[in-house]
Amino acid sequence: MNPSESTEKEILKKVLTPLLEDFDYWFSRSSSLLESQKMGFLSVDEQENLLQRIKNAQEEVKTSIMLFKITDSQVGVETKILFSWHQLVSECWQIARKWRLENTQLTTES
């Protein structure tokens, strides 16, 4: 392995490892919320669809983490895939925020 490949590998490892871990964390947290709570502002179908998209993305992330580890950081993830995961995490944050606001209003009204 030449020095530039080694440097690229280290950069990829330093950037991609925590990014994949963050995606896994947020998808897990979002999945738990959607499985345990009814979102009054989403239809049952919308909530189930979102949960399924999260579970699919989480499996993709887990597979990427596994491949990254077993290839000793030799593989990456396409930017468009990272972008789609980021969009989904953003959607999850918006849903969680809306759910918290809704529950805060219900609590303060009681």
Side-chain angles (χ1 to χ4, degrees), residues 35-91:
E35 289 174 334
S36 67
Q37 302 296 322
K38 169 67 178 113
M39 305 291 144
F41 51 88
L42 294 176
S43 71
V44 172
D45 286 344
E46 288 171 325
Q47 187 165 338
E48 287 176 4
N49 178 276
L50 178 57
L51 181 58
Q52 190 57 52
R53 289 188 295 133
I54 292 167
K55 287 184 175 204
N56 289 343
Q58 191 172 24
E59 286 303 313
E60 293 171 351
V61 169
K62 287 182 184 300
T63 300
S64 296
I65 290 170
M66 181 185 66
L67 287 171
F68 194 65
K69 285 180 181 177
I70 65 173
T71 62
D72 192 30
S73 310
Q74 294 294 317
V75 296
V77 179
E78 285 187 31
T79 305
K80 74 178 192 175
I81 300 295
L82 292 172
F83 184 71
S84 71
W85 293 341
H86 177 71
Q87 285 180 311
L88 184 55
V89 167
S90 294
E91 185 178 347

Side-chain angles (χ1 to χ4, degrees), residues 6-24 61 64-65 68 73-79 82-83 85:
S6 178
T7 303
E8 290 172 10
K9 183 176 155 183
E10 286 304 311
I11 291 171
L12 188 60
K13 187 182 268 187
K14 286 180 181 179
V15 172
L16 196 54
T17 298
L19 186 59
L20 291 172
E21 289 170 356
D22 283 350
F23 282 129
D24 189 45
V61 169
S64 296
I65 290 170
F68 194 65
S73 310
Q74 294 294 317
V75 296
V77 179
E78 285 187 31
T79 305
L82 292 172
F83 184 71
W85 293 341

